[in-house]
Each structure stands twice: as structure tokens, then as C-alpha cells.
Amino acid sequence: VVCEPYFGGDLAKLKRMARKRGVQMTEQWHGRIFRQVLDAVIYLHSKKVVHCDIKEENVMVSRKGEYHKPPIKLIDFGLASDFSTISNLKGTCYYMPPEVWQFGLWTTRGDTFSLGVMFYSVFCDGQVPFYAHCERALRDKICTADPELGRLDEHPSFQAMIESMLKKRLEDRPTVVKV
């Protein structure tokens, strides 16, 4: 597989570089980035594909130096599955929804959960809403505990969106189109 080069790095690098360049990383700045990711996932889902590994490292900035309005690309479809073959325990632990941990079931609303974790992590400089020192404890937190969203107290609409994306039951999460 050959892809275009992505000279701007991933989302984690983007935040570091934007901060160094004095970019105001407001809700609107984050929103423009998140909207591009959502559009990519909406397209995937329209083609009956579930990504199964949405995280900061798989969201790239295509051009270096564009920190105010960075052009974003979703990459790494190595774990992506079509809708007929979405049962498997795969993905990155912190981003995997409860139904994957419990049943090995990936759905489009599993991608919604992963997006919620990633959006929170990007907005909160690398903090994740579920954290544990070992995989078993992490699985238990993701499947039973409420997400730790304390850093969003000053952003109630964003917090409400993230809370909806991180619902335990996949049926209770919004589709990516609704997000």
C-alpha cells in the first residue's frame, strides 16, 4: 500500500507544535480537527467499513506548518473490517469499547466510542477517560466505571457530547453522523 506523505505528524505532535507556535487551541480549533476526522469515519461507515483502531497516532496532519487550520487525514486501516466480519478482539486497549472487551464485537458505534476517547485525549493533552496500570483493570473500568472527565467542567456542551459517545451500551451511543 502506498499513501501520500504526511509531513505534519499525528495529532499528538500537532498539539505540541501548535502550542510552540502560539496557536490558540480553543474549542473551535479542536472542533475543526474533530470534524475532519468525523467526516472520514462517516465516509468509511457509508462504505460499510468499521475502522476498529481510531486513536491519535492514526490521525495525521498532511502538511507541515499548518497549525491554525491543519488538514487532517485518517490512516491505518490494518484492523478495519467490513460490516460482515466485525467480531474480533482487536484495537488499542484504551480506545476499545465495552462490547469489544466483552464479546469481541466491533460496530460503527464502537468507532463512536473510540472517537470519544480520542477527542477527550486530544482536548485534555493526552489524558484518557479510562486509565489503569494493567489490561485487566482497564477492561473492568471501560466495561463498568464512569469515565473520568473532570477536565471538561468548563466545557459543558463538549462534556455532554463525550459522555454520550462513551456510553456503556452501544445502543445508547450516537452514530458518528449524529456526533
Side-chain angles (χ1 to χ4, degrees):
V1 176
V2 178
C3 297
E4 65 182 290
Y6 303 111
F7 295 112
D10 66 21
L11 281 188
K13 181 179 179 183
L14 169 64
K15 291 268 304 207
R16 287 190 306 273
M17 297 305 293
R19 190 172 284 117
K20 284 182 182 178
R21 301 291 192 278
V23 173
Q24 295 260 332
M25 290 178 274
T26 62
E27 281 188 43
Q28 292 75 23
W29 183 85
H30 285 92
R32 281 192 299 272
I33 292 167
F34 297 162
R35 180 57 196 231
Q36 292 176 73
V37 177
L38 288 168
D39 286 343
V41 177
I42 289 167
Y43 177 79
L44 279 180
H45 291 178
S46 78
K47 299 299 180 189
K48 310 256 185 272
V49 173
V50 180
H51 191 281
C52 304
D53 199 24
I54 297 171
K55 58 186 177 181
E56 295 87 335
E57 294 87 353
N58 289 339
V59 178
M60 304 297 289
V61 181
S62 59
R63 291 187 297 275
K64 188 175 183 177
E66 295 193 28
Y67 304 114
H68 292 283
K69 292 185 180 180
I72 300 297
K73 304 287 183 178
L74 181 64
I75 66 163
D76 192 357
F77 300 95
L79 297 180
S81 299
D82 65 37
F83 284 8
S84 65
T85 58
I86 54 179
S87 292
N88 202 345
L89 185 62
K90 60 184 176 182
T92 301
C93 295
Y94 289 99
Y95 302 82
M96 289 171 27
E99 62 274 11
V100 172
W101 286 105
Q102 296 166 329
F103 312 113
L105 177 65
W106 268 106
T107 69
T108 57
R109 297 200 192 194
D111 277 351
T112 299
F113 185 93
S114 299
L115 285 164
V117 172
M118 185 187 75
F119 290 171
Y120 179 81
S121 177
V122 169
F123 196 80
C124 296
D125 296 322
Q127 270 193 306
V128 288
F130 302 98
Y131 180 78
H133 291 288
C134 69
E135 189 173 300
R136 182 181 177 144
L138 178 62
R139 179 196 67 216
D140 291 345
K141 275 192 172 184
I142 289 173
C143 293
T144 62
D146 290 333
E148 298 172 17
L149 304 177
R151 296 202 44 203
L152 296 182
D153 291 341
E154 296 177 19
H155 308 278
S157 60
F158 186 67
Q159 182 172 349
M161 180 186 76
I162 296 299
E163 286 173 349
S164 72
M165 296 170 79
L166 298 179
K167 295 278 187 191
K168 300 297 178 202
R169 290 175 12 104
L170 68 99
E171 299 89 353
D172 295 336
R173 283 180 227 134
T175 63
V176 176
V177 170
K178 286 186 180 177
V179 172

